[in-house]
Structure formats: C-alpha cells, structure tokens
Amino acid sequence: MNAPGSEMGAAPRPYGLLAELTHRCPLHCPYCSNPLQLVARESELPAETWLRVLREAAGLGVVQVGFSGGEPLLYPELDRLIRAARAESMYTNLITSGIGLTTDRARALRDDGLDTVQISFQSDEAEQADSIAGARAHEAKISAARAVVDAGMPLGVNVVLHRQNIDRLESIITFVESLGAARLELANTQFYGWAFQNLKALLPTPEQVRRAETVAEHHAARLRGRMQIVYVLPDYFERRPKPCLHGWGARSMTVNPRGDVLPCQAANAIPGLTFENVRANSLGAIWHESEAFNRFRGFDWMPEPCRSCPEREFDLGGCRCQAALLTGDASRTDPVCEFSPDRHRIDRLLEEAGESVPWTYRNLTARPPQTQT
Amino acid sequence: MPSTPVTDPPQHPTLAAHVRLQKDRASDAHLLLHPEGAIELSQTATAVVRLCDGSRRLSQIVETLAGEYAAPTDSIREDVIDVLRELAERGLIVEAAP
C-alpha cells in the first residue's frame, strides 16, 4: 500500500483540488496564508465555471476536493458545487471559520453530500481567540462545531500555533477533545502570505516549540483511537526541508477565487511565475502543459547542492515558495536545508525570535507591515 | 513524533464512519478516501477491506478469503492482520460497535 502518486517517472495525475471559492472572510488572522493581493468579490468565478472545473478535475483523476477560501460559506452556490463534486464521486471537505454554520446549514450541506468539515480555532480561550482572529468569533465557532457533530459529520479542527498561543497547547487539546472532534491538526504557522509579513510577531522560540512537541506527543498517545492528533512541525526548526505538496505539480492543485490555477496555494509569492486561468483554458491543459506547473516538476530544475544529493528523493526539493520568499529566487535550495547556502537567513530569524512585536491584522484595507527579510 | 507501538488489529473490523471505499475511475485500483487524502489499496488490501462491513469478525474474513483464494489459512491470516493493523493505525478501520 502506497501513498498514490509516489512512484517516480509515472505521468503525474492529480488527486486533490483546493477550490478557493472566495477570499472574503469574517476573520482577520495575522497568520493568514492567502496572498497579499486578495481577489475582489466582483472577480470571483461564477458557479457555472466551478461546475466545469469540478468535472474536468474528476476527469483528470482528482478524488478529493477541499472547498476553502476565505470563508467558503460566503459563496452563494456552495451547495450546488458540493452536489456536483459528490456526483463525480469526489470526497468533499469544507474548510471553514465556522461563522455562518448553523445546525440547519450543516444538515443541509450533509444532505448535499458533504463528507467532512474542518473548522479553525484560534485558541481554547474566548478572549485570546477573538483577539487573534480580530473578530468576535469563538462562541460562534463552538456552535458550528456542535452543528457538525450533531449532523453526524466527522469534525476536524485546525489550530494554527504561534508565539501567542503555543504555550496553551495542553488546554487547547482538552478543549478540542470536548468538542467531539475526530481529528485535530496542530499546524505551526507556515510563513507565507500575510503570515510572512507578521513573522517577527508570530515565530515561537525554540524552547516553546520543544515544549509543545512533548505536549502534543503525550496527548496523541492518550487520545489514540478517539481523536487523531496531527502535529505539523514548524519547518524553520528542522534541518531538512519538507517534501512540500509531495512534489511540485505532482498530486494537487489550487484554483483561486479568480480562476487562476496554482501548483500551491502560496505560489503567488514566486516572482515572475504566471498562472493560467480556467476561464481561458481547460484544467487538463493547465495541469499538463502550463509553464507554471512544469517549472519545478521532477528533478531537472534543481541547482546544487540538491541536484547531486540523495535526499532529493525524500524532500523533492522542499518548498519553492519559501526559497522565493527568503532568497528572492524560487529555484534556489530551500533555505531550511542545512546544506543550503542560505540557511543563515533562517538562523538569523530564529535568533531574533522572542522579541515583543505587535502584529498587523489582515483586513481589506490594511497595508502589510514591513517585509522581514 | 516517535513511532507508535504495534497494536492488535480490530477483531470485528469495519470502515471508520468518515471513510469511503471506491473504485478508482482513473485506474484498476480501489481507493480509500478519508478527510486527509486517498490511499490506493493493493489487491490484497482491497480483498480484505471489502469484507470489513461490520458483518464479519477477523476470523470469518480469513476463512472467506482462504476459500476464495485456495491458499493456506496461516498465510492469509498474516496478510489480513497486516492490512488491518496498518489501516487501523491510520484510523481508517475501527472496531465495530458490539
């Protein structure tokens, strides 16, 4: 039994589609991973186009679709898209803030064929959670979580960890357990998009990360068989890069609210890369032939030290967006790697972690804070 | 995280509530779909998983497959236990409610 798509040399077939229906969102999280330039409501794809995208995705082999955003519940014809995805035998996941997910809505979406719901929480404690989200949201999220469980759908909870909430991990886990979640993803902040702009305010100290890892391990063992805990390591604290996306253009793609098709949801961070749009091209043509998807496929694009490194079979070259953000050149070795000539850039960020810096909330009018590199 | 200890396979195995077994449209394989992804099943795993509907105990699954494949029960049992253990560790197969 293998993770599909792991055999090298096979023609790539996508398994997953992230459908970002809208960038509109009731929350203003300082770690938002969406690009700095958000898509306006007027530019969002109409449902008819999404229906075509779903059909084309299924034809390419996609079996998983995540409806995401922003807040996908704000997209007017979400229910139609869910029904269409299920008609194509796809597994459907709603990735939501929970705002607007009443008991009636949850049951209706379940009846449309929604398989599972993932709700984000910012903390276990209302005051801190609302302060991180920049909105009064925590109580509404609790109601949404109950609505999902009540509708009989498996509830996933995602908590993004950062310097302000990571020390509360123990009570965060207990809180999510009390919600009846089937799965808890503890995702250390990934520094892309808005999060990268707020890096100094969000990056935890190495001591915080070590403590959190111990807590997560303990509770993962305690809750085995009842609630699955997935602890996503903060890769700045690793010595080797993550096999980002299981390879560029290898298994999944993102369609953003405007219809641009991206190999990765953060790929807007890469200067000079242009993305083709589903309004003008079929998903299959974009997946197979577009410059953006072929740019970092396989191993041929790799510079040294990656090119001759045996580790490339495992890390697949790490993360291109991270290389672009930290070095200005997306084709350089992922700076997380201890063999990267740019590793010192991450070490410097880690040395500075712990300074008290305020963050900037994400909203439609805020300008990004000063860039960190 | 450290590797988890080897656990006993479910004695009365059934698919977890959020998991779907489905024939792949793009290949001959069967897939297990779950919230985090898709797992492509081997032929052996497919043969085991399609019997995990809560109506059979592990021992009955072994008997059924031994009959279908005319293979020694011991080696079938080993295969079944391997498949169930791996899928149970991922939370995809669970113990059926009594």
Side-chain angles (χ1 to χ4, degrees):
Chain A
M1 242 172 309
N2 287 312
S6 56
E7 34 334 294
M8 300 306 301
R13 164 223 170 150
Y15 285 83
L17 167 70
L18 188 66
E20 292 181 343
L21 301 181
T22 176
H23 275 157
R24 289 174 285 137
C25 188
L27 308 188
H28 309 290
C29 306
Y31 53 72
C32 181
S33 62
N34 278 334
L36 298 184
Q37 198 67 47
L38 297 178
V39 174
R41 179 178 198 158
E42 312 80 76
S43 307
E44 290 174 4
L45 285 183
E48 296 303 330
T49 310
W50 276 115
L51 293 172
R52 194 195 85 219
V53 166
L54 291 169
R55 275 196 308 275
E56 291 176 349
L60 288 170
V62 168
V63 289
Q64 284 269 348
V65 57
F67 294 105
S68 170
E71 175 47 67
L73 291 169
L74 293 174
Y75 191 81
E77 296 179 82
L78 172 65
D79 53 345
R80 253 180 102 192
L81 304 187
I82 289 172
R83 286 197 298 273
R86 270 307 290 271
E88 297 285 354
S89 301
M90 289 194 264
Y91 198 89
T92 55
N93 188 8
L94 182 71
I95 300 156
T96 174
S97 69
I99 309 299
L101 193 54
T102 59
T103 303
D104 286 348
R105 187 93 202 263
R107 286 184 183 155
L109 292 172
R110 174 202 63 197
D111 294 342
D112 286 325
L114 184 61
D115 284 301
T116 177
V117 179
Q118 179 184 288
I119 300 180
S120 66
F121 277 87
Q122 280 62 41
S123 175
D124 60 300
E125 197 267 318
E127 197 178 326
Q128 183 186 47
D130 289 348
S131 136
I132 293 169
R136 288 184 65 84
H138 189 70
E139 291 302 326
K141 284 164 176 278
I142 293 175
S143 303
R146 294 206 176 109
V148 171
V149 173
D150 185 59
M153 289 184 284
L155 170 69
V157 168
N158 176 288
V159 182
V160 173
L161 300 177
H162 48 78
R163 193 157 87 231
Q164 308 291 336
N165 67 0
I166 194 170
D167 292 329
R168 294 190 64 87
L169 187 53
E170 184 116 39
S171 42
I172 288 173
I173 293 171
T174 316
F175 164 71
V176 175
E177 186 186 351
S178 77
L179 295 174
R183 180 173 185 270
L184 167 60
E185 182 176 303
L186 298 163
N188 279 278
T189 305
Q190 303 269 355
F191 292 104
Y192 307 105
W194 201 260
F196 188 67
Q197 307 299 320
N198 275 317
L199 187 146
K200 284 192 179 175
L202 296 170
L203 190 64
T205 65
E207 293 70 37
Q208 286 183 301
V209 169
R210 267 195 296 277
R211 279 200 302 271
E213 206 169 340
T214 310
V215 171
E217 276 173 18
H218 167 74
H219 287 279
R222 179 177 70 81
L223 291 165
R224 230 172 118 66
R226 282 185 286 152
M227 180 174 85
Q228 186 190 7
I229 295 185
V230 179
Y231 182 77
V232 181
L233 289 166
D235 68 351
Y236 282 20
F237 295 86
E238 299 286 296
R239 307 305 301 178
R240 298 286 168 79
K242 57 182 179 285
C244 202
L245 302 164
H246 306 281
W248 182 271
R251 294 190 52 183
S252 60
M253 65 184 115
T254 297
V255 179
N256 81 5
R258 175 171 51 222
D260 290 347
V261 190
L262 286 67
C264 154
Q265 61 186 121
N268 274 313
I270 297 179
L273 209 58
T274 51
F275 304 102
E276 294 188 31
N277 194 286
V278 293
R279 294 180 203 249
N281 293 288
S282 76
L283 205 59
I286 298 172
W287 171 260
H288 286 291
E289 292 155 27
S290 70
E291 200 266 337
F293 273 86
N294 284 312
R295 179 68 185 83
F296 301 111
R297 264 195 179 126
F299 298 117
D300 289 348
W301 59 272
M302 287 182 179
E304 292 293 355
C306 303
R307 179 175 282 272
S308 58
C309 181
E311 291 289 318
R312 72 181 200 172
E313 303 286 340
F314 308 104
D315 61 42
L316 307 171
C319 175
R320 297 302 88 222
C321 306
Q322 190 144 275
L325 278 169
L326 291 170
T327 76
D329 178 356
S331 65
R332 285 177 77 81
T333 294
D334 186 333
V336 160
C337 186
E338 61 185 310
F339 306 124
S340 158
D342 301 304
R343 173 69 210 191
H344 63 93
R345 292 172 196 265
I346 285 181
D347 290 333
R348 201 185 67 220
L349 293 171
L350 293 179
E351 281 162 23
E352 291 168 3
E355 287 175 35
S356 186
V357 183
W359 60 44
T360 306
Y361 286 110
R362 165 132 245 185
N363 63 55
L364 289 170
T365 53
R367 292 211 185 88
Q370 198 187 338
T371 307
Q372 304 294 332
T373 43
Chain B
M1 286 197 219
S3 59
T4 39
V6 173
T7 46
D8 289 333
Q11 294 302 307
H12 191 179
T14 189
L15 281 183
H18 54 284
V19 179
R20 229 166 50 221
L21 173 68
Q22 188 168 295
K23 165 79 179 62
D24 189 11
R25 279 164 55 168
S27 75
D28 293 333
H30 279 72
L31 302 174
L32 271 190
L33 303 181
H34 59 102
E36 297 86 61
I39 292 174
E40 195 173 303
L41 298 178
S42 65
Q43 282 188 336
T44 307
T46 304
V48 175
V49 170
R50 69 184 166 76
L51 298 177
C52 294
D53 59 3
S55 72
R56 298 173 187 83
R57 304 188 61 81
L58 193 158
S59 53
Q60 294 166 307
I61 292 174
V62 173
E63 279 167 33
T64 306
L65 292 175
E68 275 179 33
Y69 289 89
T73 306
D74 282 352
S75 81
I76 295 268
R77 183 179 292 111
E78 262 177 50
D79 285 347
V80 170
I81 287 175
D82 281 351
V83 168
L84 291 179
R85 190 175 271 150
E86 181 174 345
L87 295 175
E89 276 172 7
R90 297 179 188 219
L92 303 176
I93 294 268
V94 295
E95 201 74 67

